[in-house]
Amino acid sequence: MTTSFSHKPYRVGRSRTGLGLFATKPIKKGTKIIRYFGPLLDSKKKDEDAIENKYLFELTNRWTIDGSIRENVARYINHACRPNAESDVKPRKRKVFIRAIKDIEPGDEINYDYGTDYFKAYLKPIGCKCDACEKKRKKKRAEARAERLRLKEKAERKAKREAEKLAEARARRRKAGAKKAAKANGKVGDGTTLNGTALNGTALNGKALNGKALNGKHLNGHNLMAAPGKRAAPSKRGAARVLQA
């Protein structure tokens, strides 16, 4: 829905909160944009004092403007915490004008601060939808997303460190287990004892390697002990000396 007023610097159009009033021409700071008007309600009259709607504009403790009539186009102006206009109240004349407090460009939504009482009663319960509040909410959402991402990355780094520590602990346990198993089997390298046996030519159950004594016998052409009841056969060289004699 869009309602234009050819001789007026504003139009009614779609806003974030429903309908709103938008500038169609440049509006200078200090300009009276539109009058907020409607029937005057006297709080001293019970029937008038009992009227309730969100377009009531209180002038004094006694007089209130009921701006709910359709002719009051100013009722489409929405609230803003950082507005570009303000309500200029004339209690004695019982009139209210909406005046620009900064330069307003064509296409900008015209808005003013409804006041603390109205904000608490109507806007705070549902959340203010003005640009300033939307920016605050957007900033908070971005900060919340960044915080969640930071915590997630922190948790991932912690989990990675714990996984690395666990892998290192498992590796140490496997290494210690292998070493323990080797000792249990009586196997040790580098020439040390192996079930009472020794490597590198040292004693091996009373036997020796590298040509040394092996159960009373010698290798490399030396004498071997004769078997019981038999004489050792003379060598060929000794037999030759006997024949020459």
Side-chain angles (χ1 to χ4, degrees):
M1 171 184 175
T2 300
T3 303
S4 61
F5 305 86
S6 58
H7 61 290
K8 300 293 184 180
Y10 50 75
R11 65 175 177 82
V12 177
R14 288 291 175 185
S15 175
R16 183 184 291 111
T17 56
L19 294 177
L21 202 66
F22 295 82
T24 56
K25 301 176 182 178
I27 301 175
K28 295 295 183 179
K29 178 180 177 181
T31 301
K32 288 183 179 180
I33 304 171
I34 190 172
R35 180 186 170 190
Y36 194 99
F37 69 95
L40 286 174
L41 304 178
D42 188 349
S43 62
K44 291 185 177 182
K45 296 180 180 180
K46 291 184 178 180
D47 57 338
E48 293 184 4
D49 189 48
I51 294 175
E52 286 289 343
N53 64 63
K54 62 181 180 179
Y55 298 111
L56 298 179
F57 199 113
E58 187 177 285
L59 295 172
T60 64
N61 292 334
R62 180 176 179 179
W63 299 105
T64 299
I65 296 174
D66 182 0
S68 61
I69 60 174
R70 295 189 62 182
E71 293 80 7
N72 177 35
V73 179
R75 70 190 180 121
Y76 293 110
I77 302 176
N78 289 312
H79 163 86
C81 295
R82 293 182 181 178
N84 52 21
E86 67 179 0
S87 57
D88 185 10
V89 182
K90 308 291 185 181
R92 291 183 179 181
K93 295 181 179 180
R94 300 174 188 175
K95 292 182 180 180
V96 175
F97 290 94
I98 307 302
R99 182 179 58 187
I101 57 174
K102 60 177 68 175
D103 291 342
I104 302 175
E105 299 299 326
D108 290 349
E109 183 175 359
I110 301 168
N111 43 54
Y112 66 95
D113 190 342
Y114 284 4
T116 303
D117 293 340
Y118 189 98
F119 184 90
K120 289 181 178 180
Y122 294 99
L123 300 178
K124 188 175 181 180
I126 62 175
C128 180
K129 300 296 191 299
C130 75
D131 289 340
C133 291
E134 281 294 322
K135 287 180 180 178
K136 287 181 181 178
R137 280 192 288 270
K138 188 179 293 185
K139 182 180 179 181
K140 288 182 178 179
R141 288 195 294 267
E143 290 174 349
R145 286 194 299 269
E147 180 65 12
R148 288 195 298 269
L149 180 61
R150 186 187 69 82
L151 293 175
K152 181 181 178 181
E153 291 176 347
K154 182 179 178 180
E156 289 175 349
R157 289 194 299 269
K158 183 179 179 180
K160 183 178 179 181
R161 289 194 301 268
E162 290 178 351
E164 290 174 350
K165 289 180 180 179
L166 183 60
E168 291 174 358
R170 287 176 178 174
R172 287 194 297 268
R173 286 196 297 269
R174 285 196 297 268
K175 186 176 180 181
K179 188 174 181 180
K180 185 176 181 180
K183 287 183 177 180
N185 292 331
K187 298 178 179 180
V188 182
D190 301 328
T192 55
T193 59
L194 185 62
N195 290 335
T197 308
L199 305 179
N200 299 331
T202 56
L204 185 62
N205 290 334
K207 303 178 182 180
L209 303 180
N210 300 330
K212 297 183 180 180
L214 185 63
N215 289 335
K217 302 179 181 181
H218 291 271
L219 303 179
N220 298 332
H222 295 286
N223 293 330
L224 297 176
M225 294 179 63
K230 296 183 180 181
R231 295 180 59 187
S235 66
K236 293 181 180 180
R237 187 176 297 174
R241 286 199 294 270
V242 173
L243 291 176
Q244 289 176 1

